[in-house]
Amino acid sequence: MADVFADEAVAAMVAASREPQPAVSVAELRRGGKARAALRTPGPAMPVEDRTVGGVGIRVYHQSGADVIVFAHGGGFVLGDLETHDAFVRRLAHATGRTVVAVDYRRAPEDPFPAAVDDVLTVLDAQTAARVAVAGDSAGGFLVIQAALARRERIDAQLLVCPLIDVTLPAATQPSVAEKGTGYTLDVAQLREWIGWWAPDKAPDPLAEDLTGMPPALVAVAEHDPLRDGGSQYAQRLTAAGVPVVHRTAAGHVHNFAQSVHVSTACAEVDAQWLRDAAQLLSGSGWDATGGGGADWVPASRPDV
């Protein structure tokens, strides 16, 4: 059966990812990420402050509420920064009414594990708000899960978009790694190389941890994402441990749909749904005390393209 994508824009992203790509340096990839970020629709206006906490750079997106979200960006532990995720973080702060503290953590290959985890924990530990959630996409999801494992009693929620769970990317137990690992925008071979720079042999596997007492979670995965099964397994393990979970699958979508809202109506739809879920769950009115899933996100129209 042919793949069905959420809309023509998503199909075009997949087609572009299947074209030969020139070899470029990490510096060039980072510059490209900043250039693409500059083309995205800006997020909502709000007071924003760049500063440091314990030597770690942060960007604070101020809201009137007293509660906080600590955010870690994705990028395979190598790419991504405050600029690449600025629009998304603004949407998150606006939707939830919480001040968001985005962490400019150290990246590989310059600073391998555990530098990034330590930076997220440094920022988390500096928060004085009564309620502090964590949020992250892709590799940033892995980082905030590590923070939640270390500070589970301190965190009131974990908000995850297409999270990287097991950095060994085991195709044997996560079929989506093999099925979607090439030609679906996120290349697993490239990701494995970056994780190798980051030293995956030292990074704990959340699926092997005792998840009892972990904070409630919103876990969103995408149908055509190699990381899909890992995220779903994490949601299932949390549920089995008695943790309230809302687990969504974005039908017809590829990795990190939230970064493509400016080109895809379908991406904008699921991003908006994720933000609504996040706001509802942080308000305390949306947790299902028995765990459980919730409906998947299916675009209003899924053409065969």
Side-chain angles (χ1 to χ4, degrees):
M1 180 181 296
D3 291 325
V4 178
F5 298 107
D7 63 12
E8 292 184 359
V10 174
M13 287 187 281
V14 171
S17 75
R18 293 174 179 177
E19 296 294 324
Q21 304 296 318
V24 295
S25 67
V26 169
E28 290 173 305
L29 288 170
R30 289 173 178 170
R31 284 194 294 269
K34 287 181 181 292
R36 288 189 296 276
L39 299 175
R40 297 186 183 118
T41 304
M46 63 190 64
V48 174
E49 173 190 9
D50 287 354
R51 56 188 176 89
T52 61
V53 169
V56 180
I58 60 172
R59 178 170 293 172
V60 184
Y61 299 79
H62 290 283
Q63 295 291 289
S64 58
D67 300 328
V68 168
I69 300 170
V70 173
F71 176 82
H73 64 78
F77 310 109
V78 171
L79 307 181
D81 55 30
L82 298 179
E83 300 303 330
T84 61
H85 287 66
D86 182 78
F88 174 67
V89 177
R90 287 174 181 269
R91 297 196 302 272
L92 176 61
H94 179 75
T96 63
R98 287 198 181 195
T99 291
V100 180
V101 182
V103 186
D104 193 17
Y105 60 82
R106 290 169 288 173
R107 300 167 297 182
E110 298 91 342
D111 294 287
F113 178 87
V117 176
D118 289 345
D119 289 350
V120 173
L121 286 171
T122 294
V123 174
L124 177 63
D125 290 342
Q127 304 310 309
T128 58
R131 299 177 65 196
V132 180
V134 293
D137 65 307
S138 194
F142 181 88
L143 296 177
V144 299
I145 289 170
Q146 297 303 315
L149 285 166
R151 304 286 190 273
R152 63 188 75 190
E153 74 290 341
R154 177 70 180 95
I155 297 169
D156 74 321
Q158 37 184 333
L159 310 173
L160 307 172
V161 177
C162 298
L164 172 61
I165 300 298
D166 183 347
V167 294
T168 65
L169 296 171
T173 57
Q174 296 181 11
S176 62
V177 172
E179 296 168 2
K180 307 293 182 179
T182 302
Y184 291 89
T185 74
L186 177 62
D187 185 79
V188 165
Q190 178 71 85
L191 181 57
R192 282 194 169 117
E193 180 180 9
W194 292 346
I195 293 171
W197 298 345
W198 196 66
D201 57 313
K202 301 176 183 176
D205 173 10
L207 298 177
E209 297 289 322
D210 179 4
L211 301 181
T212 304
M214 285 287 279
L218 169 59
V219 184
V221 300
E223 179 183 5
H224 300 302
D225 183 357
L227 306 188
R228 181 196 66 213
D229 290 345
S232 295
Q233 289 172 16
Y234 182 61
Q236 292 159 7
R237 288 272 287 107
L238 287 170
T239 299
V243 177
V245 176
V246 171
H247 172 213
R248 309 282 199 189
T249 300
H253 283 273
V254 293
H255 183 69
N256 248 8
F257 50 80
Q259 291 291 70
S260 299
V261 300
H262 59 300
V263 295
S264 164
T265 300
C267 287
E269 289 174 357
V270 294
D271 174 73
Q273 182 63 65
W274 186 87
L275 293 170
R276 286 193 293 269
D277 280 348
Q280 181 182 15
L281 300 181
L282 289 177
S283 74
S285 63
W287 298 125
D288 174 2
T290 63
D296 293 342
W297 294 317
V298 180
S301 175
R302 286 187 58 190
D304 289 317
V305 292

